Amino acid sequence: MNITRENVDALNAVVKVDIAKEDYSDKVEKILTDYRKTANIPGFRKGHVPMGMVKKQYGKAVLVDEVNKLLQDALNKYLTEEKLDVLGQPLPKTQDEIDWNADKFSFEFELGLAPEFDVQLKSKKAITQYNIVADDKMIDEQIERIQKQYGKLVSQDTVEKDSEITGAYTNEEKEIDNTVTLTLDKFKGKATAKQFIGAKAGDVITLKTKGLFDDEHDLMHALKLGHDDVHGLDIEVNFTISEINKRELADLDQDLFDKLFGPKAVTSVTELKAKIKEDAEKQFVQQADQKLLNDVTEYLVENTKFDLPAEFLTKWMQTAGEKEMDEAQAKEEYEKSEKSLRYQLIEGKLIEENNVQVTMDDIKNHAREMIKGQMAQFGQMNPSDKELDDIAARVLSNQDEARRISEQLISQKLLEVYKEKANLKVKELSYEKFVKEVYGDK
């Protein structure tokens, strides 16, 4: 057997594999001999079928199978030994119909080669690393939400600004009849809230659905309709008030602190505020890290320049998926996935250059911590090591889940590299300001 490679250019090559009779003849002969021993052909005793008949009936199929196996093994071994970094899979070149009666065969494969490039993490313009803090306003609002949640309802005769109103939305034509409890701050316009002020149980308020809420999901919940039903809905609905209550805030005392955090874990309002601030800012770290990861990824893709074997990859995509594509479809798919492919190559280089590794122990420990956190949400605060190990083993037996955790850990370790080596500027701001700056006034 002989394998040669011709580099078309820096990103494309053709590998030629020449297979001679001595490469496959012994294996083919052995398989046919075994076939002869077990062949069940009418008119002949088992094991006494003439070899010529066995070859005539099975010879070509066995030959084709063995040559293909030999070809794939040789090609894979060659790519490994030559340390060729290929994209996609080798594509067999179209050739004339093969003469399987010949003693020698030649096959050619197109290769798409990964480009050579450098990654520069130090950008000229610094990338913002957000440090999101829980400000006094946010902490006070959270405390008020807690007081409302654990407070008690006091019946009212008339609706006031902060009342909780129970009633039913109705509309005969659309067959709407849905009972809800609402607060006036949910409505989009102040004029709508004004209609309720001073109303009593039994009163009917007529409302227009168009512009009733900021979010269509609120309208879906209010009317108990699907998204398609509320999109662009412009009708009148009646709201019949059945009950009016005011939520009396719970006292900020030891009884409330114990309900929230366990006995004596928090003993004062000062400690409560510190605990809320700590818990909130832990959650903010995740959001800030995700934003940083997205921004560094965007910078790397935009500023790491290299060419790809686009023509080869487009051709490869035509047959690589579950469903074959024509040339136009493959070209469209390539254009959609090019950015992702570029980042995969950049990420691979960064992983190699920074020796980023994820071990099986890392994956197991991450799975244990994830499970521990989930169990804590259901009140199981101290699971045993055996419980955690058993559940983690079941989770990781799912290859997709194990791969997802591995990818998460790689992203975390790359984030540590970015924080250490990228040109970052830290910006501290409240969560409210972070949302406005990053996502706009949505």
Side-chain angles (χ1 to χ4, degrees):
M1 184 185 303
N2 186 41
I3 302 181
T4 55
R5 180 175 86 247
E6 178 189 348
N7 290 332
V8 178
D9 54 38
L11 299 174
N12 295 274
V14 174
V15 168
K16 184 179 180 184
V17 183
D18 294 319
I19 298 177
K21 188 173 184 178
E22 56 265 25
D23 296 321
Y24 60 81
S25 57
D26 288 349
K27 189 69 184 287
V28 169
E29 197 68 28
K30 183 180 182 305
I31 292 172
L32 290 175
T33 300
D34 290 341
Y35 271 24
R36 185 179 180 228
K37 292 175 184 176
T38 57
N40 190 6
I41 296 177
F44 298 95
R45 284 184 298 142
K46 196 171 184 179
H48 288 79
V49 179
M51 192 59 172
M53 186 173 285
V54 173
K55 285 183 177 180
K56 186 177 180 181
Q57 190 161 347
Y58 301 108
K60 184 177 178 180
V62 171
L63 173 63
V64 171
D65 190 43
E66 285 308 306
V67 168
N68 278 327
K69 285 181 186 176
L70 195 63
L71 186 60
Q72 290 305 318
D73 289 346
L75 192 57
N76 290 335
K77 185 180 178 184
Y78 176 80
L79 296 178
T80 302
E81 288 178 350
E82 293 292 311
K83 296 180 180 176
L84 289 177
D85 193 0
V86 298
L87 302 178
Q89 294 292 332
L91 287 177
K93 289 191 75 173
T94 306
Q95 61 187 95
D96 296 332
E97 190 171 340
I98 299 169
D99 179 9
W100 291 104
N101 294 316
D103 290 339
K104 295 180 180 179
F105 307 103
S106 289
F107 302 91
E108 290 185 338
F109 293 86
E110 295 178 61
L111 303 182
L113 305 177
E116 293 288 336
F117 60 92
D118 294 318
V119 180
Q120 298 295 333
L121 271 174
K122 287 282 186 188
S123 56
K124 289 181 181 178
K125 184 181 177 183
I127 297 169
T128 302
Q129 179 183 358
Y130 290 97
N131 178 27
I132 310 170
V133 296
D135 59 6
D136 291 342
K137 179 187 174 188
M138 182 179 194
I139 294 168
D140 290 342
E141 287 174 350
Q142 178 63 8
I143 288 174
E144 187 176 341
R145 279 194 290 271
I146 290 170
Q147 287 181 281
K148 283 182 177 179
Q149 182 182 345
Y150 287 88
K152 61 181 180 181
L153 289 176
V154 178
S155 180
Q156 291 181 297
D157 293 328
T158 60
V159 174
E160 296 177 7
K161 184 180 176 182
D162 56 356
S163 297
E164 289 187 13
I165 309 150
T166 300
Y169 287 102
T170 56
N171 178 285
E172 285 188 20
E173 182 188 349
K174 296 289 184 179
E175 297 182 346
I176 295 168
D177 187 356
N178 187 42
T179 300
V180 297
T181 298
L182 57 83
T183 54
L184 298 181
D185 59 343
K186 277 286 186 182
F187 293 119
K188 184 176 181 180
K190 290 181 180 178
T192 302
K194 273 186 180 180
Q195 288 182 259
F196 282 83
I197 300 298
K200 299 178 181 180
D203 286 355
V204 179
I205 313 291
T206 301
L207 304 166
K208 288 188 175 182
T209 57
K210 187 177 181 181
L212 190 58
F213 300 103
D214 278 317
D215 192 333
E216 280 189 349
H217 287 89
D218 289 330
L219 188 60
M220 288 164 59
H221 171 72
L223 306 184
K224 208 174 182 179
L225 293 175
H227 181 270
D228 291 342
D229 295 319
V230 302
H231 186 63
L233 185 66
D234 187 7
I235 60 170
E236 287 189 342
V237 291
N238 289 326
F239 186 88
T240 304
I241 299 172
S242 58
E243 191 178 327
I244 308 164
N245 294 294
K246 182 175 183 179
R247 191 166 288 273
E248 195 173 273
L249 299 182
D251 292 330
L252 295 174
D253 55 17
Q254 193 60 49
D255 183 49
L256 177 62
F257 302 155
D258 290 348
K259 284 178 184 175
L260 292 170
F261 305 107
K264 304 298 179 183
V266 168
T267 59
S268 68
V269 173
T270 301
E271 289 181 15
L272 172 65
K273 288 184 175 183
K275 180 66 175 168
I276 290 171
K277 182 178 176 68
E278 179 189 354
D279 290 348
E281 289 179 354
K282 280 181 184 175
Q283 296 298 317
F284 297 158
V285 168
Q286 294 176 12
Q287 292 189 52
D289 281 352
Q290 187 59 54
K291 172 62 177 165
L292 178 60
L293 193 62
N294 292 346
D295 288 347
V296 175
T297 298
E298 191 70 28
Y299 158 76
L300 289 170
V301 171
E302 292 299 321
N303 293 277
T304 307
K305 303 298 182 184
F306 54 83
D307 292 325
L308 290 170
E311 188 177 334
F312 168 84
L313 289 169
T314 303
K315 195 187 297 184
W316 171 69
M317 283 181 173
Q318 286 185 248
T319 56
E322 292 179 8
K323 189 176 178 182
E324 285 200 17
M325 293 184 273
D326 60 31
E327 188 177 347
Q329 289 172 321
K331 189 174 181 181
E332 183 182 352
E333 184 62 28
Y334 171 74
E335 288 170 356
K336 283 195 289 187
S337 60
E338 183 187 6
K339 195 172 182 179
S340 172
L341 177 57
R342 285 181 176 279
Y343 182 66
Q344 286 176 28
L345 291 170
I346 295 167
E347 184 183 64
K349 196 167 187 69
L350 286 169
I351 288 169
E352 182 183 356
E353 289 180 348
N354 293 281
N355 196 28
V356 173
Q357 295 180 357
V358 172
T359 65
M360 198 60 216
D361 283 342
D362 292 334
I363 295 172
K364 285 178 182 176
N365 290 335
H366 185 84
R368 279 170 54 93
E369 289 304 312
M370 181 180 71
I371 293 159
K372 197 173 180 179
Q374 290 171 349
M375 292 176 79
Q377 291 177 2
F378 295 97
Q380 293 176 266
M381 304 305 293
N382 295 299
S384 68
D385 286 341
K386 186 177 185 309
E387 280 181 294
L388 291 173
D389 286 339
D390 288 348
I391 298 172
R394 287 200 295 273
V395 169
L396 297 178
S397 66
N398 181 323
Q399 289 185 350
D400 289 339
E401 188 64 22
R403 184 169 55 252
R404 186 184 67 81
I405 291 173
S406 177
E407 288 170 355
Q408 280 183 347
L409 288 171
I410 286 173
S411 288
Q412 287 177 13
K413 294 195 175 193
L414 279 174
L415 188 63
E416 291 168 14
V417 173
Y418 299 158
K419 286 180 178 180
E420 179 188 346
K421 297 185 177 181
N423 181 15
L424 306 178
K425 62 175 181 182
V426 177
K427 184 172 185 177
E428 187 174 290
L429 71 183
S430 69
Y431 181 70
E432 184 179 3
K433 288 181 179 176
F434 169 77
V435 170
K436 281 185 179 179
E437 183 164 318
V438 173
Y439 304 108
D441 295 320
K442 292 180 182 179

